[in-house]
Amino acid sequence: MEHVAVSAAPEAAPIPWRAYARLAKLDIWDYYLSVPLVAAMVLASGSGAAVGTTLVVLVLFLAGEVAMSAAMCTFDDVTGYRDGSDAVNYGPDAPARRLARKPLIAGTLTEPQAIRFGWATVAACVLCWLAAVAAAPARPGWALAGVAALAVFGFQYTWWLRISYNGFQEFFLAALGWFFVLPLYGLLTGRFDGFVAVQALVFGLGPLLFGVYSNTNDIPGDRAVGRKTVAVLVSPRANAAFVAGCSALEAVLLVGSAVTGIAPWWFPLVMAPVMALRARQWVLGFVRGEILLARRLGIHLHRLCCALLVGADLAVAMFGSGL
């Protein structure tokens, strides 16, 4: 598809670092909540690792997450620029979009500049995670494998393997959250347990459960560029059922983990607001047709969920799981 010209007033003397910050989407921080979550998990685990060492590993891993997310967003913008989808989505027929968030379309950065920046952030990510592994008090093989998988596949959302275009977008959104939690916890504690796994799975479902609403809204554009999301591939009714199933899976994890003794008995009570609002989100999106409002609710809901998970871990750290 040819690049579509967009008529837009150029920014007044743009400062280069701001253009790169927009390219990296530094204001999208929902995945970074994995770090405070893991910190709370470590406290709940009673790990004997030194506080200073733990903080160093957390900071290095977070820096790697920021760099990896920047690379992923950068290459996503390059792909969207090349196939013309960003020009359509951020063009004059979509005035609600902020053109400045797309520096390639706005003309504040060139494609070669963006690609160089993308590879620089991949390199920065690898260096940060190598340093985190070197500083870590534990290095179980599964955690090292998880970090390596993140480094190899994390930036390929729409680049090289083009994971989101080839039918694995929904899995990628959730798996990215899982892999931001579990390997880091392993590096800090050297172990793996059921309650940690449940929290990691719930954390990963958060970005998925606002991403699927974006996909529902973006069906025409995604279909035009060949992005094979569930929303594109199935009927509207099947897509609504898929989103309902993902929402139900979250509830099953929250309730089932307590029923089976994996989580404290009071865990579903703490997380009840998440389950109630998740049902409201689905009704808002698929019954009332307010897809973008449902997406926005999903973003806030993910942040609320993370806060409640951290609170649950701190309660375990202070009072034990029995309370």
Side-chain angles (χ1 to χ4, degrees):
M1 182 184 293
E2 296 293 331
H3 300 322
V4 180
V6 178
S7 299
E11 292 183 326
I15 300 174
W17 71 264
R18 289 181 177 171
Y20 284 111
R22 289 165 180 163
L23 186 66
K25 308 295 183 289
L26 294 179
D27 58 328
I28 300 176
W29 45 270
D30 296 278
Y31 277 115
Y32 309 154
L33 294 173
S34 62
V35 172
L37 176 59
V38 171
M41 287 177 175
V42 171
L43 285 175
S45 74
S47 171
V51 173
T53 299
T54 298
L55 287 175
V56 167
V57 175
L58 288 171
V59 169
L60 287 170
F61 198 87
L62 174 60
E65 284 191 14
V66 173
M68 178 55 68
S69 297
M72 182 174 66
C73 291
T74 295
F75 288 130
D76 186 56
D77 273 15
V78 173
T79 299
Y81 176 72
R82 286 178 172 179
D83 66 21
S85 58
D86 279 353
V88 173
N89 292 336
Y90 288 80
D93 58 336
R97 301 271 190 171
R98 292 180 59 194
L99 183 62
R101 287 181 59 81
K102 294 290 183 179
L104 290 172
I105 301 299
T108 54
L109 289 175
T110 66
E111 184 179 325
Q113 286 176 317
I115 292 174
R116 286 195 297 270
F117 178 73
W119 286 119
T121 51
V122 169
C125 168
V126 170
L127 290 175
C128 287
W129 284 346
L130 285 174
V133 168
R139 300 181 190 89
W142 62 267
L144 296 178
V147 174
L150 271 175
V152 171
F153 296 107
F155 67 91
Q156 298 196 57
Y157 182 66
T158 55
W159 197 252
W160 281 6
L161 291 180
R162 292 164 61 91
I163 294 170
S164 73
Y165 277 72
N166 291 313
F168 298 97
Q169 191 225 42
E170 292 81 5
F171 176 79
F172 182 94
L173 291 176
L176 192 63
W178 304 336
F179 278 77
F180 276 162
V181 172
L182 291 174
L184 176 57
Y185 181 81
L187 292 176
L188 291 171
T189 67
R191 59 179 185 258
F192 179 94
D193 65 64
F195 190 36
V196 167
V198 166
Q199 292 183 75
L201 290 172
V202 170
F203 179 84
L205 286 174
L208 169 64
L209 284 168
F210 58 77
V212 288
Y213 288 87
S214 292
N215 291 347
T216 302
N217 181 73
D218 295 343
I219 289 173
D222 286 344
R223 181 175 287 128
V225 298
R227 179 174 279 179
K228 299 173 183 175
T229 65
V230 170
V232 167
L233 294 174
V234 304
S235 68
R237 178 173 294 183
N239 180 52
F242 170 74
V243 176
C246 293
S247 303
L249 175 60
E250 180 183 60
V252 168
L253 287 167
L254 296 174
V255 176
S257 60
V259 171
T260 57
I262 295 173
W265 65 266
W266 43 264
F267 184 56
L269 300 178
V270 172
M271 304 304 294
V274 173
M275 291 183 280
L277 288 171
R278 192 68 74 193
R280 174 177 171 77
Q281 181 190 18
W282 189 88
V283 170
L284 188 63
F286 292 100
V287 176
R288 299 183 182 176
E290 299 285 354
I291 289 293
L292 291 180
L293 286 178
R295 176 188 180 276
R296 185 181 304 170
L297 175 59
I299 293 172
H300 295 300
L301 189 48
H302 173 64
R303 296 168 185 175
L304 171 64
C305 181
C306 291
L308 293 176
L309 290 174
V310 168
D313 286 318
L314 294 179
V316 170
M318 290 186 291
F319 307 111
S321 59
L323 281 180

mmCIF file with all atom_site columns, all heavy atoms in Angstrom, residues 18 156 175:
data_model
loop_
_atom_site.group_PDB
_atom_site.id
_atom_site.type_symbol
_atom_site.label_atom_id
_atom_site.label_alt_id
_atom_site.label_comp_id
_atom_site.label_asym_id
_atom_site.label_entity_id
_atom_site.label_seq_id
_atom_site.pdbx_PDB_ins_code
_atom_site.Cartn_x
_atom_site.Cartn_y
_atom_site.Cartn_z
_atom_site.occupancy
_atom_site.B_iso_or_equiv
_atom_site.pdbx_formal_charge
_atom_site.auth_seq_id
_atom_site.auth_comp_id
_atom_site.auth_asym_id
_atom_site.auth_atom_id
_atom_site.pdbx_PDB_model_num
ATOM 1  N N   . ARG A 1 18  ? 11.827 14.640  22.319 1.00 0.00 ? 18  ARG A N   1
ATOM 2  C CA  . ARG A 1 18  ? 10.377 14.485  22.460 1.00 0.00 ? 18  ARG A CA  1
ATOM 3  C C   . ARG A 1 18  ? 9.815  13.614  21.341 1.00 0.00 ? 18  ARG A C   1
ATOM 4  O O   . ARG A 1 18  ? 8.905  12.810  21.572 1.00 0.00 ? 18  ARG A O   1
ATOM 5  C CB  . ARG A 1 18  ? 9.700  15.861  22.454 1.00 0.00 ? 18  ARG A CB  1
ATOM 6  C CG  . ARG A 1 18  ? 9.955  16.670  23.720 1.00 0.00 ? 18  ARG A CG  1
ATOM 7  C CD  . ARG A 1 18  ? 9.246  18.003  23.683 1.00 0.00 ? 18  ARG A CD  1
ATOM 8  N NE  . ARG A 1 18  ? 9.436  18.736  24.925 1.00 0.00 ? 18  ARG A NE  1
ATOM 9  C CZ  . ARG A 1 18  ? 9.078  20.002  25.115 1.00 0.00 ? 18  ARG A CZ  1
ATOM 10 N NH1 . ARG A 1 18  ? 8.518  20.673  24.109 1.00 0.00 ? 18  ARG A NH1 1
ATOM 11 N NH2 . ARG A 1 18  ? 9.285  20.591  26.270 1.00 0.00 ? 18  ARG A NH2 1
ATOM 12 N N   . GLN A 1 156 ? 9.300  -8.338  18.287 1.00 0.00 ? 156 GLN A N   1
ATOM 13 C CA  . GLN A 1 156 ? 8.813  -8.835  17.000 1.00 0.00 ? 156 GLN A CA  1
ATOM 14 C C   . GLN A 1 156 ? 7.283  -8.829  16.886 1.00 0.00 ? 156 GLN A C   1
ATOM 15 O O   . GLN A 1 156 ? 6.715  -9.591  16.103 1.00 0.00 ? 156 GLN A O   1
ATOM 16 C CB  . GLN A 1 156 ? 9.355  -10.249 16.749 1.00 0.00 ? 156 GLN A CB  1
ATOM 17 C CG  . GLN A 1 156 ? 10.866 -10.284 16.668 1.00 0.00 ? 156 GLN A CG  1
ATOM 18 C CD  . GLN A 1 156 ? 11.385 -11.563 16.059 1.00 0.00 ? 156 GLN A CD  1
ATOM 19 O OE1 . GLN A 1 156 ? 11.019 -11.921 14.935 1.00 0.00 ? 156 GLN A OE1 1
ATOM 20 N NE2 . GLN A 1 156 ? 12.233 -12.264 16.783 1.00 0.00 ? 156 GLN A NE2 1
ATOM 21 N N   . ALA A 1 175 ? 1.115  -13.094 26.991 1.00 0.00 ? 175 ALA A N   1
ATOM 22 C CA  . ALA A 1 175 ? 2.398  -13.726 27.303 1.00 0.00 ? 175 ALA A CA  1
ATOM 23 C C   . ALA A 1 175 ? 3.456  -12.708 27.678 1.00 0.00 ? 175 ALA A C   1
ATOM 24 O O   . ALA A 1 175 ? 4.323  -12.976 28.527 1.00 0.00 ? 175 ALA A O   1
ATOM 25 C CB  . ALA A 1 175 ? 2.867  -14.567 26.116 1.00 0.00 ? 175 ALA A CB  1
#
